[in-house]
């Protein structure tokens, strides 16, 4: 099958040959050869119209080629991905959260630790040594909670510092995008970066609130223990009554 441009070229060649061919002479009344201007004009007009049609076909093909080029540009994928870096940053924080000592970030473990270290009702039957051991365990839990918070905060700061370079790269990729697909992919990665930073803040807040809650629970248990010790020291107060 011949292409439209090839067929148009053949038509133009044929018509051009028809135009330059000598017009069939018309024999006059007295036998002489005369020029027929009407026939010549009709041939020229037909050739001009055919050439215009060929020109329109060529322009249409050029427009279609340009449209296909633009479509290919808009469908071109972005040759850059920040997914690996974002995932690794979140994994580092998750690892720190899972390494929490004392009271872990797990509902079942938290409930068990609270019942053991911070009971709802203070056990007045505990001996002094038992109270001392419980106080030491509560103090260790509070200290570990704050240490965990500091580690998470340090990791978040490191991630933010690394994100500054990633943010610059993503903005550059977005600004230099060749088509709509590349621009959309770069935008999606910028949104993913923003989401990751929000998740980091939530995890850091969870670690901080956990440490604060443990410390408040420890202080409450210390007050309960102090009241019990005072009660035991004072006793019934009969020993201080005058006879």
């Amino acid at each position: 099958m011949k292409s439209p441009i090839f067929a148009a070229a053949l038509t133009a060649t044929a018509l051009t040959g028809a135009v330059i061919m000598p017009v069939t002479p018309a024999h006059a009344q007295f036998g002489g050869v005369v020029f027929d201007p009407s026939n010549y004009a009709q041939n020229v007009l037909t050739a001009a119209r055919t050439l215009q049609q060929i020109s329109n076909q060529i322009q249409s093909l050029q427009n279609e080629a340009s449209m296909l080029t633009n479509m290919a540009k808009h469908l071109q994928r972005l040759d850059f991905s920040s997914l690996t870096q974002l995932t690794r940053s979140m994994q580092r924080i998750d690892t720190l959260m899972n390494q929490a000592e004392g009271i872990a970030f797990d509902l079942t473990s938290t409930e068990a630790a609270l019942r053991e270290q911070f009971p709802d009702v203070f056990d007045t039957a505990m001996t002094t040594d038992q109270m001392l051991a419980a106080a030491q365990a509560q103090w260790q839990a509070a200290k570990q909670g704050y240490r965990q918070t500091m580690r998470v905060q340090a990791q978040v700061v490191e991630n933010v510092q690394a994100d500054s370079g990633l943010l610059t790269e993503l903005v550059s990729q977005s600004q230099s995008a060749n088509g709509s697909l590349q621009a959309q992919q770069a935008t999606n990665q910028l949104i993913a970066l923003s989401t990751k930073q929000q998740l980091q803040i939530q995890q850091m807040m969870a670690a901080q609130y956990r440490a604060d809650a443990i410390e408040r629970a420890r202080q409450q248990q210390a007050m309960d223990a102090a009241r019990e010790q005072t009660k035991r020291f004072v006793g019934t107060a009969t020993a201080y009554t005058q006879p």
Side-chain angles (χ1 to χ4, degrees):
M1 181 181 293
K2 297 183 176 65
S3 64
I5 297 179
F6 180 72
L10 289 179
T11 304
T13 303
L15 289 175
T16 304
V19 172
I20 63 176
M21 287 178 62
V23 180
T24 303
H27 295 279
Q29 182 179 1
F30 300 101
V33 178
V34 296
F35 174 73
D36 187 351
S38 176
N39 186 34
Y40 178 79
Q42 185 64 33
N43 290 338
V44 172
L45 182 58
T46 301
R49 290 175 178 173
T50 304
L51 289 175
Q52 182 62 41
Q53 292 177 356
I54 294 173
S55 177
N56 293 339
Q57 291 178 1
I58 293 175
Q59 183 63 41
S60 176
L61 292 173
Q62 290 176 343
N63 293 338
E64 291 180 7
S66 178
M67 181 180 65
L68 292 174
T69 301
N70 292 333
M71 289 177 61
K73 179 188 298 183
H74 288 302
L75 294 176
Q76 184 177 357
R77 294 177 58 85
L78 183 66
D79 190 21
F80 178 80
S81 176
S82 61
L83 178 60
T84 301
Q85 183 172 346
L86 296 178
T87 302
R88 287 177 180 174
S89 296
M90 293 304 300
Q91 287 176 344
R92 286 193 291 268
I93 294 181
D94 289 340
T95 299
L96 288 176
M97 300 293 279
N98 292 330
Q99 291 175 351
E101 299 176 355
I103 297 181
F105 289 94
D106 175 79
L107 181 58
T108 303
S109 301
T110 298
E111 290 179 344
L114 289 176
R115 286 194 300 268
E116 179 182 354
Q117 298 183 22
F118 306 99
D120 294 334
V121 180
F122 185 79
D123 186 5
T124 57
M126 286 193 302
T127 64
T128 302
D129 290 341
Q130 290 174 333
M131 290 184 185
L132 178 60
Q136 291 177 339
Q138 293 159 7
W139 175 77
Q140 286 290 339
K143 182 177 67 173
Q144 291 165 356
Y146 279 111
R147 285 181 174 178
Q148 178 70 13
T149 299
M150 295 176 66
R151 286 194 292 265
V152 173
Q153 290 172 346
Q155 184 61 65
V156 169
V157 171
E158 290 183 7
N159 290 349
V160 170
Q161 292 175 347
D163 289 345
S164 61
L166 178 59
L167 177 61
T168 301
E169 178 64 25
L170 287 175
V171 171
S172 175
Q173 291 287 339
S174 178
Q175 291 176 343
S176 61
N178 293 324
S180 58
L181 180 59
Q182 286 189 355
Q184 183 62 43
Q185 289 178 333
T187 301
N188 290 341
Q189 294 189 50
L190 284 169
I191 295 175
L193 176 60
S194 176
T195 302
K196 189 211 77 169
Q197 293 176 340
Q198 293 177 8
L199 291 174
Q200 286 183 158
I201 294 175
Q202 292 177 2
Q203 290 180 316
M204 185 172 63
M205 292 174 62
Q208 182 65 51
Y209 291 156
R210 168 181 173 272
D212 292 341
I214 294 175
E215 174 60 20
R216 286 194 294 269
R218 184 195 69 81
Q219 293 175 1
Q220 182 63 43
Q221 290 290 312
M223 292 176 61
D224 291 341
R227 282 195 293 266
E228 178 63 23
Q229 289 284 12
T230 301
K231 182 179 178 180
R232 292 181 182 182
F233 176 76
V234 174
T236 61
T238 56
Y240 304 98
T241 304
Q242 293 293 333

